[in-house]
Amino acid sequence: MKFGTKAIHAGIEPDPTTGAIMTPIYQTSTYVQESPGKHKGYEYARTQNPTRTVLQNNLAALENGKYGICYSSGLGATDAILKLFKPGDEIIASNDLYGGTYRIMVRVFQEFGLKFNFVDLSDASKLEAAITPATKMVWIETPTNPLLRLVDITAVAAITKQHGIQLVVDNTFASPYLQNPLDLGADIVMHSVTKYLGGHSDTVMGAIVLNDDETAQRLAFIQNACGAVPGPQDCFLVLRGIKTLHVRMQRHCENAQKVAEYLQQHPKVSQVYYPGLPSHIGHELAKKQMRGFGGMLSFELKGDSMPEAVRVMESFEVFSLGESLGGVESLCTHPASMTHASIPKEERIKNGLKDILIRLSVGIEDVEDLIQDLERAIN
């Protein structure tokens, strides 16, 4: 199947009882058993739920993986992956990554003895020098949040495989429509399903897709044992959202390209971070490992004035100022005080994240209205 067909049909069958074309919401906490231990494959809704099963199968198909496992949030999925390791194990992570990922690594799992080393992995050669005998996993985002840096998944995967290290790729910004990390050598793909997969700003969920049988069994055990599972209503909403993922992503990409080109020529804008611009340092890599450039971009105003950046963000009428991304509506976010506030300022500045940086999640509205909104706000 091509992607658009998979989004609508893969892993999804009409309801066997009624023939309903949409997967039913199995709003139940338990299931009746014929005899102790004799049941229809479902025992208790934390362990399994038919609506969740269909979504997990659909997500696995979209990422060309064998197993899909859903969690109550993107950080719930991250938490499960980090629980694969034990005190003394080391994880190398991109130095430009989502603030919540940094927070759970440093302020939660580091307290339990895991070690974390944050490295600029936009240069894959730096990974080789960072690996130690304790290194068990490499964690990357590409494009990164919020500076839209590119990491060469194939190059990093070649190094991790040589050292017997697992490679995890947070594929939230790209979505499976634009990029499939498992095909490029990654071992595990993680998504904040809240974002593009759900696509309508009405659910919070995370997911993991992978091929390895043993790791999948361990992650499914953690899903059940620790209990960070999504409810059936949210699973239904995501299944519905995925059916339009391909058409939504096409419009996100088209609009973001036009917005980025507009901002790049604006006399009051000093820097635009978007992989679809030929001037972007990762443009050629993005063309190689992605099928489009995505709906996310960031920019900085000339003068490096925080009051001016705040004035612009407060002046938007179509772009809404808020956390999150990937919905059909356009959002504006201030990473330094919102999504990345948990990263110490000195770390943010060292990694190139200025306090004046403005991040845009470009939605699927009419792009002329989006550009006019930017024109009004910046001027």
Side-chain angles (χ1 to χ4, degrees):
M1 289 184 184
K2 303 298 183 191
F3 189 92
T5 310
K6 285 200 291 187
I8 295 170
H9 295 289
I12 302 170
E13 299 289 341
D15 176 50
T17 305
T18 65
I21 196 165
M22 294 300 291
T23 303
I25 303 168
Y26 286 88
Q27 196 71 52
T28 184
S29 61
T30 193
Y31 309 86
V32 175
Q33 302 189 21
E34 295 178 37
S35 183
K38 187 178 181 182
H39 50 77
K40 295 179 173 66
Y42 294 90
E43 307 161 77
Y44 185 60
R46 186 188 69 249
T47 311
Q48 315 108 336
N49 177 280
T51 315
R52 192 171 85 215
T53 298
V54 172
L55 174 59
Q56 292 179 153
N57 292 340
N58 183 233
L59 288 171
L62 295 185
E63 281 289 11
N64 300 326
K66 189 174 179 182
Y67 302 102
I69 309 169
C70 287
Y71 298 84
S72 54
S73 68
L75 281 168
T78 301
D79 176 83
I81 293 170
L82 295 176
K83 283 173 179 169
L84 295 171
F85 304 99
K86 62 183 185 299
D89 288 346
E90 179 186 61
I91 288 94
I92 295 173
S94 306
N95 65 344
D96 177 25
L97 80 171
Y98 169 51
T101 307
Y102 178 93
R103 180 179 58 218
I104 196 173
M105 287 177 173
V106 172
R107 297 186 60 184
V108 178
F109 281 92
Q110 195 163 269
E111 296 294 315
F112 291 108
L114 293 189
K115 299 176 182 178
F116 297 94
N117 185 9
F118 298 95
V119 178
D120 179 8
L121 296 177
S122 58
D123 180 356
S125 66
K126 293 182 179 179
L127 175 60
E128 190 78 52
I131 291 172
T132 73
T135 306
K136 304 297 181 188
M137 184 181 80
V138 173
W139 182 289
I140 64 175
E141 295 177 7
T142 181
T144 63
N145 181 3
L147 292 172
L148 283 302
R149 292 172 177 153
L150 272 290
V151 179
D152 190 329
I153 299 172
T154 302
V156 171
I159 296 169
T160 56
K161 282 181 168 49
Q162 181 182 349
H163 290 270
I165 299 167
Q166 285 193 302
L167 173 59
V168 178
V169 177
D170 180 340
N171 202 30
T172 300
F173 264 30
S175 87
Y177 178 72
L178 298 180
Q179 180 172 269
N180 297 118
L182 295 180
D183 293 346
L184 300 174
D187 298 291
I188 298 174
V189 177
M190 195 284 290
H191 283 279
S192 175
V193 176
T194 310
K195 313 304 192 298
Y196 286 111
L197 287 164
H200 292 78
S201 303
D202 54 9
T203 55
V204 174
M205 193 186 300
I208 296 168
V209 179
L210 70 165
N211 287 314
D212 183 70
D213 298 348
E214 182 183 353
T215 306
Q217 288 174 5
R218 292 177 66 196
L219 287 167
F221 171 82
I222 291 167
Q223 180 198 47
N224 181 51
C226 298
V229 294
Q233 174 77 23
D234 284 344
C235 292
F236 171 85
L237 288 171
V238 173
L239 278 166
R240 185 175 68 169
I242 286 173
K243 289 181 186 296
T244 59
L245 176 62
H246 53 304
V247 291
R248 286 188 287 108
M249 289 306 301
Q250 288 169 9
R251 178 58 66 85
H252 283 300
C253 292
E254 291 168 5
N255 283 0
Q257 184 73 36
K258 291 176 182 176
V259 167
E261 290 170 356
Y262 163 78
L263 289 170
Q264 189 177 45
Q265 58 79 41
H266 198 289
K268 292 187 178 180
V269 173
S270 61
Q271 186 66 254
V272 181
Y273 302 94
Y274 183 65
L277 296 174
S279 59
H280 188 282
I281 192 170
H283 180 67
E284 291 304 318
L285 175 58
K287 287 200 297 185
K288 184 176 76 170
Q289 73 181 16
M290 299 173 69
R291 291 180 285 272
F293 302 112
M296 298 300 302
L297 63 91
S298 296
F299 70 98
E300 297 165 3
L301 298 169
K302 288 180 179 176
D304 287 0
S305 168
M306 188 64 192
E308 178 63 8
V310 170
R311 185 199 66 77
V312 168
M313 288 183 276
E314 290 177 345
S315 301
F316 285 123
E317 295 177 9
V318 181
F319 283 89
S320 298
L321 180 61
E323 304 255 0
S324 201
L325 60 103
V328 292
E329 64 289 311
S330 293
L331 287 176
C332 163
T333 299
H334 180 235
S337 66
M338 298 166 75
T339 57
H340 291 67
S342 57
I343 300 176
K345 182 172 181 176
E346 59 272 17
E347 287 294 317
R348 295 198 307 265
I349 297 300
K350 186 174 74 174
N351 296 332
L353 201 176
K354 296 182 181 179
D355 282 355
I356 60 156
L357 186 85
I358 298 171
R359 191 190 77 183
L360 300 181
S361 174
V362 182
I364 65 171
E365 302 95 337
D366 190 295
V367 72
E368 290 185 12
D369 290 329
L370 297 178
I371 290 174
Q372 285 178 9
D373 197 34
L374 286 160
E375 183 76 18
R376 280 193 304 267
I378 295 173
N379 293 330

